[in-house]
Amino acid sequence: MDYINGETIAIVLFFIGVWGLIARRNVMKTIISIGIMQTAVILYYISGNYIPESVPPIEEIPVDAVVADPLPQALMITEIVIGAGITAASLVMFIHVYHKYGTSNWLKLKK
Amino acid sequence: MNLYWLILLPILFGALYYLLPVRISKYISVVFQVIMVALAFDVFYHVKNYGQLIHNIGNWPDYIGIALRADELALVMVLLTTVLFLGMGLYQLKSNYIDKLLVFLTLVLEGLIIGIFLSNDLFNIFVLIEVSTVIISILIMFKKDSQAIYDGILYLLINVVSMLFFLMGLGILYKTVGVVDFYGVEKGLHNIDNARVLILPYAFIITSISLKVALMPLFSWLPKAHGTPSAPSTISAILSGLYVKSGVYLFIRVQTMFSPQIDTKELFYIMGFMTAVIGFILAMAQKDIKLLLAYSTVSQIGLIMMGINMNSPQAQMGGIYHIINHAFFKSTLFLTAGMIIDVYNTRNVYEIRGVWKRMPYVSVATILAVLGIVGAPFFNGSISKYWIAYGAKDSWAEYGIMLVNLGTVITFVKYTAMLTGFKKVKQAKKENTDILQNSVVIIMGGLCFIGGLFSEFIVEYLFGTELMIDTVSYALKSMAFILTLIIGIVIFKFWLKKSSIPSKLNRFELSFNGICLVITLFFVFMVVYLDFQLPKG
């Protein structure tokens, strides 16, 4: 079962999110799908360069230890913050749209 | 001076601006914009004389921390940004919708756009684009019109999806190469034996950038965002004149970055041509003047993409010069369109007549900009189109470019028709007598002419490359232009005005789900194309 690892699952999750964007007409579900895609990307970064039994690069590191790569974590902290901001912004806009049009269906919004 | 001040100053000033009363602060903001132009020019002058600058923020070694890179292309774009924002700042100084929030958001946007041009770090670019996406969608819905709110949320979600594609690609690229720095990646790619590992990251990243550029199947979001009826006209001008160019700029950078392993110039050359053709066909069909201008942006972007994807240096320079020219004439056109809409209270191109009588200054500016965009002799558009066509010499593309130009001519014959005639207007509003707005549009229109007259000097000064214009072939091109103009007027008079096809084309519009489907299909197409293109490992 080697192929069930973080990366493959991340790619699969990503395209589940894409499927949600294509097939669901509800704006709310679109925002949720974007959330799924964000999670998939985060999972990919975190598990992509993972080396088993590596140690965190903090303080004293044993001479023969394998050090984990800190960059993906740092990048993903940023992405989590941005993701939260984007989701909040799109939810606020969705509330406005819903008040103006009274529907959450993309096709009816387009008229 | 350190480069990050160019990015930070507008944002810091925007925050400070919030504290002062609007009466004083709006004048200070104009002074500030002048200072920004001076600073950008200072850095440009330094780079021109001493070569490119690289600043590693936090003094980390190369490729580890975030780096800012200032080379000539980046600084020309920064200079363009500051000049355009100065123009917009002057234009909206006396307008009735100016308030603290608008100025604050425009200033932050200025900083972010400069950041996109200067950054040499892919993740940093992701962050900057993501933040500017949110700001632009707020600016689009600034007047809280219901159509604008739909356009705003569509713009936000589409661009967030595209940037997630970018981030996914970057993740896979990072796993392969181990750096997220442009130069670092380029260096790392030289050491890769099997180019096929790059198929996925390249396809992900180029899909997202093609959406930013608004290439052929992926442009549906652009007219909505740029031509949304109620957005302030300065915002439309910035979006269409400048922001979409940041996509083109990233395209150039990413193509250079992948150039050691992947070459897709041919594909994007053809795609650029198709974008240009479809862009002008849809532009001709529009009745709404703002949408007409927005679709014509799509067409011009196609032309730029053709230029930068050709193998001749003249055509590439022509493409880059067209970026600058398009920024000037398209923002002039959007600003004048905004003023015309204010007076006539309608956006229908067939209902507006007699602008020449009512608004002479605006008409002069419009005519200057239109002559620029259709490539009339001695105007800036003609020079860049001449260079692009020079690269396409003796191939099908030479006629292709003539076809695109014919389309542009027809579109703008339709557009300028509104200057003529004496039709009475129902609700006569007060004429626009704001000297500031009139002079800004006239100066920017005049720059289109200056950019044409002194083109050789300007290009040599900005980029250090000498490009000669052959008098004989330029004269031939001018003759071809006059012929095109006549054909264009005839086609407009006898076919386009009466035909029913435009109103059918008009309704062509994808919904959100449709656009997402197209993004995915584009991605799949890129994967398949690369699979055939790259040698089997």
Side-chain angles (χ1 to χ4, degrees):
Chain A
M1 300 292 269
D2 242 8
Y3 51 87
I4 301 191
N5 54 15
E7 292 159 56
T8 22
I9 295 199
I11 300 264
V12 172
L13 263 183
F14 187 85
F15 283 100
I16 289 176
V18 173
W19 169 253
L21 293 176
I22 297 171
R24 292 284 162 260
R25 286 182 187 154
N26 189 323
V27 182
M28 205 52 222
K29 285 184 182 162
T30 302
I31 298 172
I32 295 172
S33 302
I34 289 177
I36 295 175
M37 287 165 77
Q38 278 166 347
T39 322
V41 170
I42 294 168
L43 179 63
Y44 188 90
Y45 271 78
I46 302 294
S47 56
N49 276 10
Y50 171 72
I51 310 159
E53 288 166 20
S54 52
V55 298
I58 311 171
E59 308 226 322
E60 278 174 43
I61 301 161
V63 187
D64 54 345
V66 188
V67 182
D69 184 0
L71 188 65
Q73 272 90 339
L75 298 185
M76 282 310 104
I77 290 282
T78 323
E79 156 61 16
I80 290 168
V81 174
I82 293 175
I86 296 278
T87 314
S90 31
L91 285 176
V92 170
M93 286 185 192
F94 171 61
I95 293 173
H96 271 278
V97 166
Y98 194 79
H99 278 302
K100 290 268 180 190
Y101 291 88
T103 175
S104 56
N105 188 326
W106 279 114
L107 290 184
K108 284 183 188 153
L109 285 178
K110 205 185 97 184
K111 284 173 295 176
Chain B
M1 194 188 69
N2 215 321
L3 281 176
Y4 56 73
W5 284 115
L6 277 179
I7 303 167
L8 277 184
L9 269 182
I11 299 175
L12 289 178
F13 180 79
L16 184 74
Y17 182 88
Y18 235 84
L19 302 174
L20 303 168
V22 181
R23 249 179 323 111
I24 317 165
S25 59
K26 61 182 184 187
Y27 296 102
I28 302 180
S29 81
V30 172
V31 176
F32 174 76
Q33 297 288 6
V34 176
I35 295 174
M36 279 305 291
V37 176
L39 283 181
F41 188 78
D42 179 51
V43 179
F44 171 74
Y45 194 74
H46 183 87
V47 167
K48 190 177 152 58
N49 289 336
Y50 303 102
Q52 84 168 15
L53 283 171
I54 292 188
H55 281 299
N56 291 330
I57 293 177
N59 292 327
W60 291 92
D62 280 358
Y63 312 143
I64 291 186
I66 294 172
L68 296 179
R69 169 249 314 104
D71 57 6
E72 282 190 334
L73 177 60
L75 280 171
V76 168
M77 299 303 287
V78 170
L79 211 53
L80 181 68
T81 313
T82 49
V83 170
L84 276 186
F85 270 92
L86 171 66
M88 300 307 137
L90 280 172
Y91 177 87
Q92 62 185 12
L93 197 60
K94 291 261 170 64
S95 64
N96 47 8
Y97 52 81
I98 186 170
D99 68 359
K100 284 187 176 184
L101 183 65
L102 181 66
V103 178
F104 172 67
L105 289 175
T106 11
L107 281 167
V108 174
L109 186 62
E110 181 180 6
L112 292 171
I113 293 178
I114 294 177
I116 295 173
F117 290 139
L118 289 181
S119 178
N120 202 27
D121 181 288
L122 281 159
F123 190 79
N124 206 1
I125 282 180
F126 162 76
V127 175
L128 291 165
I129 292 185
E130 204 79 323
V131 180
S132 53
T133 303
V134 175
I135 291 188
I136 286 172
S137 54
I138 296 172
L139 285 172
I140 290 174
M141 15 204 291
F142 193 72
K143 286 181 185 166
K144 297 205 185 88
D145 199 284
S146 56
Q147 176 64 34
I149 289 180
Y150 171 67
D151 293 337
I153 191 167
L154 191 84
Y155 177 83
L156 178 75
L157 292 181
I158 292 287
N159 280 281
V160 166
V161 170
S162 106
M163 283 328 278
L164 280 171
F165 271 77
F166 182 86
L167 197 59
M168 195 69 192
L170 181 58
I172 306 173
L173 189 65
Y174 178 73
K175 190 178 151 60
T176 326
V177 190
V179 277
V180 288
D181 183 279
F182 272 117
Y183 292 155
V185 172
E186 195 179 338
K187 214 169 152 193
L189 288 187
H190 280 290
N191 304 326
I192 286 181
D193 304 322
N194 184 4
R196 300 183 70 81
V197 295
L198 294 173
I199 291 181
L200 266 186
Y202 183 80
F204 270 120
I205 291 180
I206 214 68
T207 305
S208 119
I209 289 183
S210 304
L211 187 126
K212 285 273 162 206
V213 176
L215 268 184
M216 188 257 301
L218 304 171
F219 60 77
S220 301
W221 59 273
L222 184 140
K224 290 198 188 68
H226 294 191
T228 184
S230 61
S233 44
T234 47
I235 301 307
S236 303
I238 288 288
L239 281 181
S240 218
L242 187 67
Y243 189 68
V244 70
K245 308 302 167 26
S246 71
V248 180
Y249 173 82
L250 281 183
F251 180 84
I252 298 175
R253 291 283 176 207
V254 166
Q255 287 291 64
T256 328
M257 185 176 85
F258 279 104
S259 60
Q261 300 282 357
I262 293 177
D263 180 22
T264 48
K265 275 194 167 155
E266 197 120 337
L267 175 71
F268 282 100
Y269 177 52
I270 295 168
M271 277 193 174
F273 175 66
M274 282 154 80
T275 313
V277 171
I278 293 180
F280 81 68
I281 291 176
L282 288 172
M284 272 195 277
Q286 300 305 316
K287 270 194 219 134
D288 183 321
I289 57 174
K290 266 187 137 177
L291 280 180
L292 187 147
L293 292 177
Y295 274 108
S296 115
T297 301
V298 175
S299 160
Q300 298 297 311
I301 291 285
L303 206 57
I304 294 173
M305 290 299 282
M306 281 179 86
I308 58 181
N309 280 304
M310 272 184 224
N311 277 324
S312 90
Q314 281 92 348
Q316 286 172 0
M317 201 31 90
I320 291 170
Y321 194 47
H322 204 64
I323 293 180
I324 302 170
N325 295 340
H326 182 258
F328 282 109
F329 44 66
K330 196 41 78 58
S331 35
T332 314
L333 284 171
F334 264 112
L335 293 181
T336 45
M339 292 161 85
I340 292 169
I341 292 169
D342 274 349
V343 170
Y344 281 81
N345 243 344
T346 172
R347 293 191 306 277
N348 189 329
V349 73
Y350 292 116
E351 281 174 18
I352 302 174
R353 282 292 178 267
V355 179
W356 181 260
K357 290 269 164 197
R358 290 180 64 134
M359 310 164 84
Y361 300 112
V362 172
S363 308
V364 170
T366 308
I367 287 174
L368 286 172
V370 165
L371 288 176
I373 199 168
V374 297
F378 305 116
F379 279 83
N380 56 3
S382 72
I383 309 286
S384 40
K385 282 179 182 171
Y386 168 79
W387 278 329
I388 294 175
Y390 186 90
K393 217 152 75 182
D394 305 326
S395 71
W396 57 270
E398 201 179 354
Y399 302 100
I401 290 173
M402 280 163 121
L403 177 72
V404 173
N405 212 17
L406 176 66
T408 317
V409 167
I410 298 173
T411 312
F412 281 93
V413 167
K414 181 174 175 178
Y415 186 80
T416 28
M418 68 186 187
L419 300 184
T420 58
F422 307 91
K423 198 181 164 191
K424 283 270 178 203
V425 216
K426 277 168 266 170
Q427 307 150 286
K429 270 177 95 182
K430 233 185 88 190
E431 318 291 288
N432 193 329
T433 47
D434 187 346
I435 299 170
L436 216 53
Q437 293 194 347
N438 283 329
S439 47
V440 166
V441 289
I442 286 198
I443 289 172
M444 288 185 50
L447 282 176
C448 297
F449 187 52
I450 293 171
L453 274 189
F454 302 104
S455 58
E456 289 175 52
F457 170 75
I458 293 175
V459 167
E460 204 192 328
Y461 188 76
L462 290 181
F463 300 100
T465 33
E466 217 172 310
L467 290 179
M468 281 304 168
I469 294 175
D470 181 28
T471 326
V472 179
S473 61
Y474 189 71
L476 275 176
K477 286 274 171 212
S478 308
M479 302 281 268
F481 168 74
I482 292 166
L483 200 67
T484 324
L485 187 65
I486 294 168
I487 297 174
I489 293 174
V490 169
I491 291 182
F492 172 71
K493 274 259 178 231
F494 295 100
W495 177 71
L496 187 66
K497 248 177 153 176
K498 292 161 193 160
S499 162
S500 64
I501 298 171
S503 57
K504 282 181 196 135
L505 277 175
N506 224 330
R507 267 176 246 133
F508 170 78
E509 188 184 332
L510 289 174
S511 71
F512 179 83
N513 305 97
I515 300 177
C516 285
L517 180 64
V518 171
I519 296 177
T520 319
L521 289 179
F522 188 88
F523 169 73
V524 173
F525 169 74
M526 278 315 294
V527 172
V528 173
Y529 175 80
L530 288 173
D531 190 54
F532 278 109
Q533 185 81 355
L534 295 175
K536 299 268 187 287

